[in-house]
Amino acid sequence: MQKLQGIAVSSGVAIGEALVMDNEGFRIPRRFVARDAVDEELDRLQRAIASASDEISRHRDAVSKELGDKYSAIFEAHLQMLHDSRLQSELVEMIRQRHYSPEYAVSRTLRRYAQVVQSLESRYLAERANDIFDIEKRLLRHLLGRRREGIFHLTSPVLVLAHNLTPSEAANLDSRFVKGFVTETGGPGSHTAIVAEALGIPAVVGTGAFLTEVSGGDLVIIDGNEGLVVLQPDEETLARYRHEAEERRSLATQLEALRDLPATTVDGQQVLLMGNIEFPYEVDHCTDRGADGVGLYRTEFLYLGADTEPNEEGHFQAYSQVVRAMGDRPVTIRTFDLGADKLPNPPAPEDERNPCLGLRSIRLALRNLGMFRTQLRAILRASALGNVRVMFPLVSTLLELRQAKMILADMMEELEENGIRFNRDLPVGMMVEVPAAVMMIDHFVDEIDFLSIGTNDLIQYTLAVDRGNKEVVGLYNAADPAVVKLIHIAIQAANRKSRPINLCGQMSGNPVYTMLLLGLGLRQMSVSPGALPEIKKICRSVTIEQCEAVAKRVLTMENARDIKSYLKEELKKRAPQLA
Amino acid sequence: MSQTTVSRTVVLTNRAGLHLRAAMLIAKTVRQFAAQVSIVKSHQRVEATDMLQIISLGAECGAELGIEATGQDADQVLDALGRLFSDNFGEDQEPGN
């Protein structure tokens, strides 16, 4: 058994077989072969060794001819290693006695050697592990031949373990079979994290290197609540996780009964509880759980994983699907919140050393008006179909907001001239996620129809912490008193002017914060669809008076740890099964 | 057939230690003889024909190794291996590969 700590980005627990993707997106397949196929599989192994040998010999001869024997010696060594009698007998034994697939046997055996070599004290010798990985890869390539497959052709449930997933790989994960994933790199803001949430599967990122220590088919536990990955768990750990999973399932069944009930507090305060979505299909996850609307429809997926920019029709189709499904319930479409690095055109700027502080989001939109206009036109057209609202991300100055609104007005005029239907009174909102916007909130509320607090970025910018940096991620905390204060200021300012204010960051989906947020005066929340039942349950278990007392107390507290443990206690009092 | 066992101690003097190519040369040399040969480093004992095992010893420059051979040509194989070690595996003392 081995435990790895990473960053939890999507909650839940998954237990299952590993599917290992190496750096080349190479998939290491299943563990066992049928008993009567053993001889055939042994043949396959010998053929693979033979063709890998041929290949190495050809390399050796070519290099030797070109550069001399000294440089071809490495290939000679690889060749000898392939024919190592001990290695061969180990592989044969695994296939014959344990019915391992040749691929699994090869990767397991060679990785074990590589691990030993990697742990050697001499750095020079330790680096020789790469030669062993090289042989592993070569053998696998010959074993898999044409059957070499990526992540896209799955036939049974797996947990995907990868160095990194590209946005298009993540977006195309087959949710019927992928039950969770772990990546060695990445942070909570990464696109893969958002996709995991969208799919409702547990995910852990940023574990650091570990892929050399697992083989496809190994039993793995992904604990997306604690950010833990357990490789080859022992019986006790397995039993504990299975029990937990069972409890969660029964809680989920209980909460299903709340589906058609409103998120109203015990003392009758109605709370608008909406879902965050990224992909159009997620609208079903919202309606299935009785969401009051879509509080955040991210639109980045339209740009990621595609080689070309989406056209107006592509936008419109994606929006109208969601708007129609929601009927008269609100759908808040956020204009693209991308970094310049994510776009095929124009090329990324040279000085983007600090993308979080760089050309992204509304800044990028205002510099690429063509792109921005295309999206706004599609949103406007969709507004004729239902209850659409538009929202601008990362607004930090009034000027930016005014510019964005002006372009929206231009688009309205254009549509009007062309006789295309849209909602003239389309509500326009902004994300509150930069501390500067909170400081200027009294001015913003006069120029906007609604607001939505994006805590993920607000926390990052307030505390100056990069969530993707393992060294400082511990400082990233929604319970930090500075963050709570900023949220309080924003809610108060909006409530004074009766401007609807929502909170759509990960904070609102965490049961620990629900009472605090209600107590601070928040009456709308938007959470990932999976969290809807739990948050609704809390709303229906508390009174506003209780929540206000909690908030009042929290506002006097000095550090995140105290606040969080206090909030956990209060939650335990009101909704013990969710604590 | 006499099954004499002979052994000798060698010291690694090549800079890179018992690396891939050195292990290959050892394995190749031993295969030319009938004797069974093992390499001993402190408490670890490995077959001299198993390259992966040899590298796994992690023997660095300066390491003291025992070589044991059993079989008719035990002496000859130890002589051949001794030459390999004293010749630094033919390396011109640049870090090998």
Side-chain angles (χ1 to χ4, degrees):
Chain A
M1 185 169 80
Q2 190 185 350
K3 284 187 182 178
L4 304 160
Q5 183 68 54
I7 302 165
V9 293
S10 182
S11 63
V13 169
I15 303 170
E17 252 184 37
L19 183 149
V20 183
M21 308 281 298
D22 72 11
N23 295 349
E24 299 170 16
F26 204 75
R27 171 180 161 193
I28 297 157
R30 285 185 60 81
R31 184 167 186 165
F32 294 109
V33 296
R35 195 173 293 256
D36 54 9
V38 163
D39 286 331
E40 204 180 301
E41 296 294 312
L42 282 170
D43 270 357
R44 209 154 65 77
L45 174 71
Q46 294 310 334
R47 281 201 304 275
I49 292 177
S51 57
S53 302
D54 286 349
E55 193 180 64
I56 299 173
S57 309
R58 280 199 304 276
H59 281 308
R60 178 196 57 192
D61 295 345
V63 170
S64 162
K65 208 166 137 198
E66 192 114 326
L67 304 166
D69 283 347
K70 191 176 158 200
Y71 293 93
S72 64
I74 185 67
F75 293 110
E76 181 65 26
H78 281 198
L79 203 55
Q80 288 297 322
M81 197 143 57
L82 258 185
H83 290 284
D84 197 301
S85 54
R86 170 78 171 255
L87 174 65
Q88 296 237 7
S89 63
E90 280 175 340
L91 293 175
V92 169
E93 196 266 348
M94 278 184 157
I95 298 168
R96 193 181 287 292
Q97 308 298 332
R98 294 195 242 174
H99 303 128
Y100 284 164
S101 69
E103 290 90 350
Y104 182 79
V106 161
S107 112
R108 178 130 192 105
T109 310
L110 286 169
R111 280 176 186 218
R112 211 183 46 220
Y113 277 117
Q115 238 175 299
V116 172
V117 170
Q118 250 169 353
S119 65
L120 294 177
E121 267 174 45
S122 153
R123 229 184 51 213
Y124 175 73
L125 285 177
E127 279 170 14
R128 306 285 47 88
N130 290 330
D131 289 299
I132 301 179
F133 286 132
D134 196 64
I135 290 175
E136 182 212 359
K137 260 188 201 149
R138 195 185 293 280
L139 265 180
L140 283 178
R141 212 159 48 229
H142 284 277
L143 276 170
L144 292 165
R146 287 221 186 116
R147 296 193 302 149
R148 176 176 177 177
E149 287 167 350
I151 203 169
F152 304 120
H153 303 97
L154 300 174
T155 51
S156 63
V158 288
L159 308 185
V160 172
L161 312 180
H163 176 65
N164 197 4
L165 290 173
T166 64
S168 66
E169 277 172 338
N172 288 310
L173 286 179
D174 187 338
S175 59
R176 284 172 307 164
F177 298 121
V178 176
K179 299 301 176 194
F181 66 77
V182 181
T183 58
E184 291 183 329
T185 59
S190 59
H191 197 72
T192 45
I194 291 166
V195 171
E197 239 185 6
L199 294 171
I201 58 176
V204 174
V205 303
T207 55
F210 76 98
L211 288 181
T212 54
E213 290 156 43
V214 281
S215 303
D218 279 358
L219 190 63
V220 173
I221 299 174
I222 301 176
D223 181 344
N225 305 320
E226 302 295 328
L228 263 180
V229 182
V230 188
L231 307 177
Q232 299 186 296
D234 58 28
E235 281 305 317
E236 192 195 326
T237 310
L238 199 57
R240 185 160 47 81
Y241 273 105
R242 287 206 166 120
H243 177 71
E244 245 171 63
E246 191 49 49
E247 283 197 331
R248 286 188 75 84
R249 261 195 298 279
S250 81
L251 178 64
T253 316
Q254 278 176 42
L255 294 180
E256 258 172 43
L258 302 178
R259 182 183 179 277
D260 298 316
L261 298 172
T264 305
T265 61
V266 175
D267 51 348
Q269 172 64 52
Q270 164 100 53
V271 179
L272 202 62
L273 195 52
M274 299 176 288
N276 295 340
I277 66 169
E278 163 122 17
F279 301 102
Y281 66 80
E282 286 180 273
V283 72
D284 297 339
H285 302 175
C286 294
T287 51
D288 287 351
R289 293 176 178 90
D292 295 322
V294 171
L296 171 64
Y297 185 0
R298 302 182 179 97
T299 57
E300 292 75 67
F301 78 97
L302 288 161
Y303 301 86
L304 299 171
D307 294 331
T308 51
E309 252 173 61
N311 58 18
E312 184 181 320
E313 203 50 34
H315 281 283
F316 178 71
Q317 291 303 332
Y319 304 153
S320 51
Q321 185 184 340
V322 172
V323 173
R324 286 204 178 94
M326 290 312 286
D328 57 359
R329 286 174 283 187
V331 175
T332 309
I333 303 175
R334 182 178 69 186
T335 60
F336 62 84
D337 186 13
L338 294 165
D341 55 321
K342 299 283 176 10
L343 296 181
N345 294 299
E350 273 174 30
D351 290 333
E352 202 73 325
R353 290 189 199 93
N354 217 334
C356 284
L357 304 178
L359 183 62
R360 54 171 286 213
S361 222
I362 193 70
R363 304 169 184 174
L364 188 64
L366 294 174
R367 291 269 284 272
N368 291 276
L369 290 180
M371 238 173 103
F372 196 35
R373 286 199 183 104
T374 302
Q375 181 171 35
L376 290 176
R377 271 181 69 103
I379 294 173
L380 282 168
R381 282 172 57 197
S383 74
L385 307 173
N387 188 353
V388 172
R389 317 192 297 176
V390 66
M391 177 163 73
F392 303 123
L394 202 80
V395 173
S396 42
T397 68
L398 282 155
L399 200 65
E400 275 172 346
L401 175 65
R402 288 174 191 157
Q403 275 180 294
K405 283 175 69 176
M406 218 164 67
I407 292 152
L408 182 67
D410 280 354
M411 287 303 102
M412 285 184 170
E413 214 166 289
E414 203 177 288
L415 288 187
E416 204 149 59
E417 277 168 17
N418 297 334
I420 299 168
R421 287 179 53 224
F422 65 96
N423 175 16
R424 256 239 151 257
D425 301 317
L426 172 77
V428 179
M430 63 176 259
M431 297 280 294
V432 179
E433 49 191 344
V434 181
V438 180
M439 301 319 289
M440 297 297 285
I441 197 78
D442 287 325
H443 297 271
F444 281 114
V445 291
D446 287 333
E447 304 194 16
I448 206 90
D449 299 315
F450 67 94
L451 303 127
S452 190
I453 304 173
T455 44
N456 299 2
D457 275 336
L458 185 62
I459 298 167
Q460 150 166 304
Y461 292 132
T462 302
L463 302 174
V465 173
D466 175 0
R467 290 184 293 169
N469 182 339
K470 260 208 303 212
E471 304 302 322
V472 296
V473 72
L475 299 170
Y476 178 94
N477 200 329
D480 193 282
V483 174
V484 174
K485 246 180 205 152
L486 287 171
I487 293 172
H488 189 213
I489 294 170
I491 295 173
Q492 277 185 317
N495 286 348
R496 270 199 301 271
K497 292 279 170 77
S498 302
R499 293 280 183 269
I501 184 162
N502 180 23
L503 194 147
C504 64
Q506 277 158 342
M507 186 179 185
S508 60
N510 186 340
V512 170
Y513 299 112
T514 313
M515 291 184 77
L516 170 65
L517 295 173
L518 290 172
L520 291 173
L522 196 70
R523 296 295 177 259
Q524 295 187 11
M525 292 181 207
S526 191
V527 306
S528 65
L532 284 165
E534 293 188 0
I535 303 302
K536 187 187 276 187
K537 171 75 184 162
I538 298 170
C539 291
R540 295 179 57 83
S541 310
V542 299
T543 66
I544 292 299
E545 202 185 333
Q546 287 161 352
C547 295
E548 281 174 351
V550 167
K552 201 174 160 196
R553 171 87 189 274
V554 166
L555 286 170
T556 65
M557 296 171 92
E558 290 175 347
N559 68 68
R561 211 184 52 197
D562 292 351
I563 292 175
K564 200 153 185 189
S565 60
Y566 170 67
L567 289 175
K568 278 183 178 165
E569 267 171 47
E570 289 299 310
L571 176 62
K572 210 179 268 176
K573 279 191 218 160
R574 308 296 165 200
Q577 68 272 53
L578 295 176
Chain B
M1 198 159 62
S2 67
Q3 286 296 316
T4 47
T5 296
V6 289
S7 63
R8 112 173 26 167
T9 304
V10 291
V11 176
L12 264 179
T13 51
N14 69 320
R15 273 232 309 262
L18 266 194
H19 54 87
L20 220 57
R21 209 178 55 87
M24 170 188 77
L25 289 172
I26 292 171
K28 264 187 151 179
T29 304
V30 171
R31 284 211 193 95
Q32 293 163 12
F33 296 88
Q36 293 285 313
V37 182
S38 31
I39 300 178
V40 184
K41 180 179 167 250
S42 31
H43 299 295
Q44 287 171 275
R45 170 186 294 269
V46 300
E47 289 294 312
T49 45
D50 292 334
M51 282 179 60
L52 285 164
Q53 301 272 330
I54 297 174
I55 324 171
S56 302
L57 286 176
E60 293 181 68
C61 183
E64 218 171 75
L65 301 172
I67 320 177
E68 285 179 19
T70 305
Q72 277 181 318
D73 48 8
D75 280 314
Q76 288 95 313
V77 70
L78 286 196
D79 286 343
L81 286 176
R83 279 195 297 277
L84 211 51
F85 277 92
S86 61
D87 193 30
N88 289 324
F89 304 96
E91 285 162 28
D92 39 12
Q93 290 304 5
E94 289 163 22
N97 40 31

